[in-house]
Amino acid sequence: MSVESTAKHPIPAGFEDALAKPADYTRLYDESIRDPQGFWGREAKRIDWITPFTKVKDTDFTMGQVSIKWFEDGALNASVNCIDRHLADRADQTAIIFEPDDPKSPARHITYAELSDKVNRFANVLLSQGVMRGDRVVIYLPMIPEAAYAMLACARIGAVHSVVFAGFSPDALSNRVNDCGAKLVITADTAPRGGRRTNLKSNADAALLHCSEKVRCLVVKHTGDQTTWIDGRDVDVLKLMEEVSPECPPRPMGAEDPLFILYTSGSTGRPKGVVHTTGGYLVYAAMTHEYVFDYKDGDIFWCTADVGWVTGHSYIVYGPLANGATTLMFEGVPTYPDAGRFWDVCDKHKVTQFYTAPTAIRALMGQGPEWVDKHDLSSLRILGTVGEPINPEAWVWYDQHVGKGRCPIVDTWWQTETGGHMITSLPGAIEAKPGSATLPFFGVKPEVLDAASGQIIEGNGVEGVLAIADSWPGQMRTLWGDHDRFMEAYFQQYPGYYFTGDGCRRDQDGYYWITGRVDDVINVSGHRMGTAEVESALVAHEKVAEAAVVGYPHQIKGQGIYAYVTLMNGIQPSDDLRRELEGWVRNEIGPIAKPDLIQWAPGLPKTRSGKIMRRILRKIAEDDFGSLGDTSTLADPGVVDELIENRMNRA
Ligand code: 6R9
């Protein structure tokens, strides 16, 4: 299949009753843009307010005075929306299914009544430790139900949580604790993942050496493994939860009070503490979860992300629980005990919506379809992807082998900063195109700008950088403690717009194609090319499992194309294969896209969330690996040495 393919993929049969139908999308979208006050004033009623708001939208993107407020004078509590309001009708319904790392351990079904009990108790434990409204609490937990309890307990008492991915190093943890001035860190003894155990508590111990002595450490004894214990600082949460009262009155919070801080890496400098507030975020997470996944009562929703990322915040915890859904939390990895685990879990729990990342799909695709075919996937209704552009080949594999051609695929483009989906298809309303995120969600006004001049590029069949012209309720409000940096990072380069940092193309049908971060664009002989396009072509080859492409300085062309290629299991690298791939890309995209250098890469340097760290690949391609910068967030730092040793561009 060609990467340029723009054929629409018809909506599969059976979606005539989807929440949004084609005409609804157009009507609602037009209304949301024409009358945001009316549209969002109505949509915000999907959540429960303690004090109703009278103002809807008060936002200003003007550089120097950026200010974003939604439902400003309303008051609510996020935990009440995710728990209490469901108790009358669904106390005995499962809120969270916990699937442990080891498939032989029993899964746990936590009802809304039980969730309520746990969160109330957890909140009382936090109060007993002196946590007050507005205090920051860092959550450094694996994918266990206590992570959701902790988040919701913070929300209940008005504390601001900051979840730090459990795969992060002690350094990364202490930096975040210090940046937000957290009073407390919540961690677990050890974390099983893929059959191995990470000693989280000792990571937390190492981190806390670099933090104020006043910071307490709440420990969830999850595995019961032995850990160090510092009396007076360390607290056994589960034990205390049994002792405190099972009732903790929720604190009414202003719509614009912060709900959480989530650190994300920018292109430069230290991590940015993205701040989301209570009202707008919750409205947006709940609404996108309902529309994008066509959520219906009785569905079993599974998002495979980690709660340490925004995807886990919005689509494991807040969105599904605000909608009274059953959400699945998976402690393990896709390939343990074997490459069929995802499909085994879908079958076992009769999952209806499955939401994962292209990198996982490609990895499983490389293992062969027999792993999928062994399992009964007839419960699946909708498939989703997030995190990076999906190459059409992976899309088609996902569609055919996982969805059996029956399930719409929603390719959801969004960011930590956006709080929820921004550009995505809607099952039943928007026909997909493999590789395109398709059309904007309600209230989202994307613009394609000329990268150099910042001018709007009108019409279809155009390419540029992606900016958003007006605010939406789920938008981040600031960077923790640094509003100036917030304005500089997102509003300075293209005044009047929120700048996403992504490049994009709007095709002849008005569909959006994210071409990757603009810092990943390479310029070969004056031609701009998305590295994602070349990667997509490479992975379309049957012998290629994964590819990452970066630019490197080239004497004649300005930049040359350097491709790191991981071959399918059992395929041997050879010069013949290298020539074959060069010819393949030349045919798929054009001569201009032919890689100048192809390095065989047994593995690619990835963050633990599966994002390829291009910064490192660029350095190696530039033969400048003396200054690789921070590699502490890599899932497997060993792959870097291997790549350096076999680099292709040697001065
Ligand atoms: C939710 C999330 C954001 C960046 C974003 C873009 C890339 C995310 C995508 C996608 C193409 C998609 N991205 N979803 N690119 N198609 N469907 O991933 O947040 O970790 O902040 O990353 O990820 O480059 O700018 P975050």
Side-chain angles (χ1 to χ4, degrees):
M1 164 174 286
S2 157
V3 290
E4 293 300 328
S5 162
T6 53
K8 286 187 189 167
H9 197 91
I11 294 168
F15 285 85
E16 298 76 19
D17 292 330
L19 183 60
K21 298 160 206 51
D24 300 331
Y25 171 70
T26 317
R27 179 177 50 80
L28 287 171
Y29 182 75
D30 290 349
E31 186 204 336
S32 72
I33 298 299
R34 199 180 57 241
D35 177 22
Q37 303 280 353
F39 180 86
W40 289 112
R42 189 180 69 229
E43 283 300 331
K45 302 207 169 99
R46 61 176 51 245
I47 63 172
D48 286 358
W49 296 84
I50 298 167
T51 312
F53 54 88
T54 62
K55 294 185 207 157
V56 176
K57 177 177 187 285
D58 179 10
T59 65
D60 184 354
F61 279 7
T62 312
M63 183 56 200
Q65 58 185 55
V66 179
S67 160
I68 299 155
K69 290 178 186 152
W70 284 89
F71 320 116
E72 193 185 339
D73 57 352
L76 74 163
N77 184 281
S79 83
V80 168
N81 274 283
C82 291
I83 305 170
D84 307 47
R85 69 165 173 161
H86 306 311
L87 292 176
D89 294 336
R90 38 182 109 233
D92 297 329
Q93 182 202 306
T94 301
I96 299 175
I97 299 175
F98 172 63
E99 170 69 22
D101 184 52
D102 179 355
K104 293 193 287 297
S105 303
R108 270 158 60 194
H109 289 75
I110 297 136
T111 63
Y112 272 96
E114 200 180 336
L115 179 64
S116 173
D117 179 73
K118 299 285 189 198
V119 170
N120 276 272
R121 289 175 183 274
F122 208 121
N124 279 328
V125 170
L126 293 176
L127 290 175
S128 77
Q129 299 304 307
V131 177
M132 293 189 290
R133 178 194 178 118
D135 284 347
R136 275 78 59 208
V137 170
V138 163
I139 300 175
Y140 183 63
L141 284 174
M143 285 287 288
I144 55 177
E146 285 78 6
Y149 305 161
M151 291 163 77
L152 293 165
C154 287
R156 196 159 189 89
I157 63 171
V160 182
H161 61 72
S162 184
V163 183
V164 175
F165 176 55
F168 276 139
S169 64
D171 263 0
L173 176 60
S174 62
N175 288 340
R176 287 157 174 77
V177 171
N178 292 334
D179 188 83
C180 70
K183 218 174 198 176
L184 200 77
V185 174
I186 305 171
T187 191
D189 43 13
T190 57
R193 222 168 152 256
R196 284 190 292 245
R197 284 189 182 186
T198 310
N199 197 329
L200 278 190
K201 172 63 167 55
S202 65
N203 283 355
D205 285 340
L208 288 171
L209 290 176
H210 304 282
C211 304
S212 153
E213 282 163 21
K214 290 190 202 123
V215 180
R216 296 249 174 138
C217 187
L218 263 57
V219 184
V220 176
K221 293 191 173 172
H222 173 54
T223 57
D225 287 344
Q226 210 179 346
T227 65
T228 50
W229 201 263
I230 299 181
D231 283 330
R233 186 199 70 180
D234 296 346
V235 178
D236 181 341
V237 197
L238 299 182
K239 184 158 162 274
L240 258 188
M241 277 169 76
E242 285 168 19
E243 294 165 11
V244 295
S245 149
E247 269 168 53
C248 176
R251 192 109 204 203
M253 302 300 291
E256 285 301 334
D257 283 334
L259 178 62
F260 65 86
I261 304 168
L262 189 55
Y263 286 87
T264 186
S265 37
S267 39
T268 53
R270 66 203 153 79
K272 302 188 273 197
V274 169
V275 176
H276 282 288
T277 57
T278 309
Y281 171 81
L282 201 61
V283 168
Y284 201 71
M287 183 178 180
T288 48
H289 173 260
E290 185 181 18
Y291 271 98
V292 174
F293 299 112
D294 191 42
Y295 170 72
K296 302 215 160 76
D297 241 6
D299 281 346
I300 310 288
F301 182 81
W302 184 16
C303 163
T304 70
D306 193 283
V307 283
W309 312 118
V310 74
T311 308
H313 283 60
S314 301
Y315 302 110
I316 294 176
V317 180
Y318 288 111
L321 295 178
N323 289 334
T326 299
T327 182
L328 194 149
M329 267 183 106
F330 175 44
E331 189 181 31
V333 298
T335 48
Y336 176 80
D338 60 45
R341 186 69 190 276
F342 269 1
W343 323 124
D344 180 48
V345 174
C346 285
D347 185 357
K348 179 174 169 189
H349 296 293
K350 301 293 163 228
V351 169
T352 47
Q353 288 97 340
F354 177 74
Y355 187 35
T356 197
T359 183
I361 298 167
R362 283 195 299 270
L364 295 175
M365 189 171 126
Q367 304 287 323
E370 55 275 19
W371 292 104
V372 191
D373 295 342
K374 274 195 233 176
H375 302 277
D376 175 8
L377 297 182
S378 57
S379 61
L380 288 175
R381 231 164 32 86
I382 288 157
L383 304 176
T385 74
V386 58
E388 53 179 320
I390 182 165
N391 51 300
E393 291 63 39
W395 195 101
V396 168
W397 187 88
Y398 198 28
D399 178 44
Q400 290 176 357
H401 292 285
V402 182
K404 319 287 183 206
R406 298 183 295 105
C407 304
I409 297 180
V410 288
D411 176 348
T412 60
W413 174 84
W414 60 296
Q415 309 176 299
T416 304
E417 293 88 340
T418 71
H421 303 141
M422 296 290 281
I423 300 182
T424 175
S425 57
L426 295 179
I430 300 174
E431 291 175 307
K433 289 188 185 191
S436 167
T438 76
L439 299 174
F441 190 72
F442 307 124
V444 174
K445 199 160 178 264
E447 296 287 2
V448 179
L449 305 183
D450 178 78
S453 70
Q455 294 300 308
I456 291 190
I457 308 177
E458 307 275 5
N460 290 340
V462 297
E463 188 162 349
V465 296
L466 179 61
I468 313 292
D470 199 357
S471 184
W472 63 99
Q475 184 173 25
M476 72 184 287
R477 302 301 198 250
T478 189
L479 285 172
W480 182 256
D482 201 346
H483 198 66
D484 285 343
R485 189 176 176 209
F486 168 66
M487 292 192 285
E488 282 156 23
Y490 301 103
F491 297 91
Q492 182 161 284
Q493 199 168 346
Y494 302 109
Y497 299 96
Y498 165 77
F499 177 46
T500 65
D502 279 326
C504 90
R505 188 163 81 229
R506 188 165 52 218
D507 74 9
Q508 294 298 346
D509 295 322
Y511 274 41
Y512 291 83
W513 298 71
I514 307 301
T515 51
R517 304 292 301 191
V518 283
D519 33 18
D520 292 333
V521 168
I522 46 183
N523 191 326
V524 184
S525 306
H527 293 85
R528 278 168 164 257
M529 206 171 336
T531 49
E533 268 179 273
V534 185
E535 289 164 7
S536 184
L538 280 166
V539 293
H541 191 282
E542 55 173 345
K543 293 180 182 156
V544 175
E546 194 150 38
V549 169
V550 296
Y552 74 101
H554 188 286
Q555 276 197 327
I556 296 163
K557 303 177 175 182
Q559 270 188 310
I561 300 178
Y562 193 116
Y564 296 86
V565 171
T566 308
L567 295 172
M568 290 285 187
N569 263 350
I571 303 290
Q572 291 306 316
S574 68
D575 284 344
D576 278 350
L577 181 53
R578 185 174 274 131
R579 275 188 294 275
E580 189 180 322
L581 293 182
E582 289 169 1
W584 172 268
V585 176
R586 177 187 260 272
N587 280 336
E588 288 276 306
I589 307 178
I592 191 73
K594 182 181 86 63
D596 298 277
L597 296 171
I598 295 180
Q599 175 172 355
W600 307 119
L604 293 170
K606 289 184 184 166
T607 63
R608 287 155 180 120
S609 65
K611 283 204 170 52
I612 296 170
M613 290 194 73
R614 287 159 195 289
R615 179 172 58 79
I616 291 173
L617 293 177
R618 271 196 292 268
K619 287 280 184 193
I620 298 174
E622 288 163 15
D623 200 26
D624 174 26
F625 49 88
S627 54
L628 282 183
D630 180 18
T631 55
S632 64
T633 60
L634 282 175
D636 175 11
V639 302
V640 173
D641 295 335
E642 202 284 333
L643 291 177
I644 290 176
E645 196 169 312
N646 296 309
R647 69 193 184 280
M648 303 291 292
N649 176 29
R650 289 164 195 260

